[in-house]
Amino acid sequence: MASPASTSSSSSSTGHPAIALITGGSRGLGRNAALHVARSGTDVILTYRSQAAEAQAVVAEIEALGRRAVALPLDVGASATFADFAQQVRGVLAQHWQRERFDFLVNNAGSGAHAGFMETTEEQFDQMVAIHLKGTFFLTQKLLPLMNDGGRILNVSSGLARFALPGYAAYAAMKGGVEVLTRYMAKELGARGIAVNVVAPGAIETDFGGGAVRDNAQLNAFIAGQTALGRVGLPDDIGGVIAALLQPGTGWVNAQRIEASGGMFV
């Protein structure tokens, strides 16, 4: 196992190695982002909804890279639990890092709803609101007292907030809301030196949405044909962008939407 000293470290404003909290870090893009962030020298608190074993496997991978990591359960669609979650975060910061604050928040966790506009139910719509919009709003609100000034927040959106594909009206509407919210957060948190940005992935080969982009050859080929770089995105394409936006050299990027789609529908 690599020692912490053998890995280049991204330092926080306190001079200690930075700590990133990444929601939905047990699988998919969140897992990939957590590993990229760890490779850049940042410690990680990751959350999972139900897959504790998968989350602990990610923790082990991060520790093998010489970084510290902790996994905590969290349902981002259950805002009533956020205050207790913040207390858990406070506890692990004290226990594992002997610190009171972390540096970076990546609001990544989410789920999709594929249904035509006329077929979308109120239940599906309300679930999208709770997970993507209300969750991002109030989880960030509860965690901000535990964030260092000068930190970063990244909200994960979707290319679907720019281009429209049938079947994603509710999901994309929430992501559009997240993008507007991001600008307001950047404006109001600027006094604390906290930069807030959006990362908007295009179509990526993961298990998201049942893995259709990854497993449906016809869909995969269609998307590749509509992408300037000629292929569908891979998790590494997004994890690398997230890690880069948390590095010291990108601190002046603020209130921006960064689409990582390889040039879909340009």
Side-chain angles (χ1 to χ4, degrees), residues 44-47 55-56 59 62-63 68-72 92 96-97:
V44 178
I45 300 170
L46 61 95
T47 78
Q56 290 305 322
V59 167
I62 291 172
E63 290 176 340
R68 294 180 182 179
V70 174
L72 295 174
V92 300
H96 294 272
W97 284 274

Side-chain angles (χ1 to χ4, degrees), residues 111-121 123-125 127-128 132 160 164-172 207-213 216 219 223:
S111 63
H114 186 268
F117 175 76
M118 291 299 292
E119 288 72 46
T120 300
T121 66
E123 182 181 5
Q124 288 173 314
F125 187 90
Q127 184 181 49
M128 291 296 96
H132 294 284
L160 290 163
L165 292 175
Y168 295 99
Y171 173 80
D207 59 359
F208 187 83
V213 172
N216 184 320
L219 176 61
I223 294 169

Side-chain angles (χ1 to χ4, degrees), residues 38-156:
R39 290 188 192 104
S40 74
T42 297
D43 294 343
V44 178
I45 300 170
L46 61 95
T47 78
Y48 63 94
R49 188 170 66 88
S50 59
Q51 301 296 326
E54 290 184 10
Q56 290 305 322
V58 180
V59 167
E61 289 185 75
I62 291 172
E63 290 176 340
L65 295 169
R67 305 310 326 161
R68 294 180 182 179
V70 174
L72 295 174
L74 173 68
D75 181 352
V76 295
S79 58
T81 68
F82 292 169
D84 287 343
F85 174 74
Q87 285 300 110
Q88 286 185 280
V89 172
R90 188 186 302 274
V92 300
L93 286 170
Q95 180 181 352
H96 294 272
W97 284 274
Q98 294 75 53
R99 288 165 60 180
E100 296 181 350
R101 290 177 172 80
F102 66 97
D103 304 281
F104 309 137
L105 172 61
V106 181
N107 285 307
N108 163 78
S111 63
H114 186 268
F117 175 76
M118 291 299 292
E119 288 72 46
T120 300
T121 66
E122 283 196 51
E123 182 181 5
Q124 288 173 314
F125 187 90
D126 290 345
Q127 184 181 49
M128 291 296 96
V129 171
I131 292 172
H132 294 284
L133 191 53
K134 186 176 181 180
T136 297
F137 193 111
F138 288 103
L139 180 63
T140 303
Q141 188 185 80
K142 289 295 189 294
L143 291 176
L144 273 168
L146 300 178
M147 282 192 69
N148 277 317
D149 290 354
R152 315 273 179 85
I153 297 172
L154 285 179
N155 297 324
V156 176

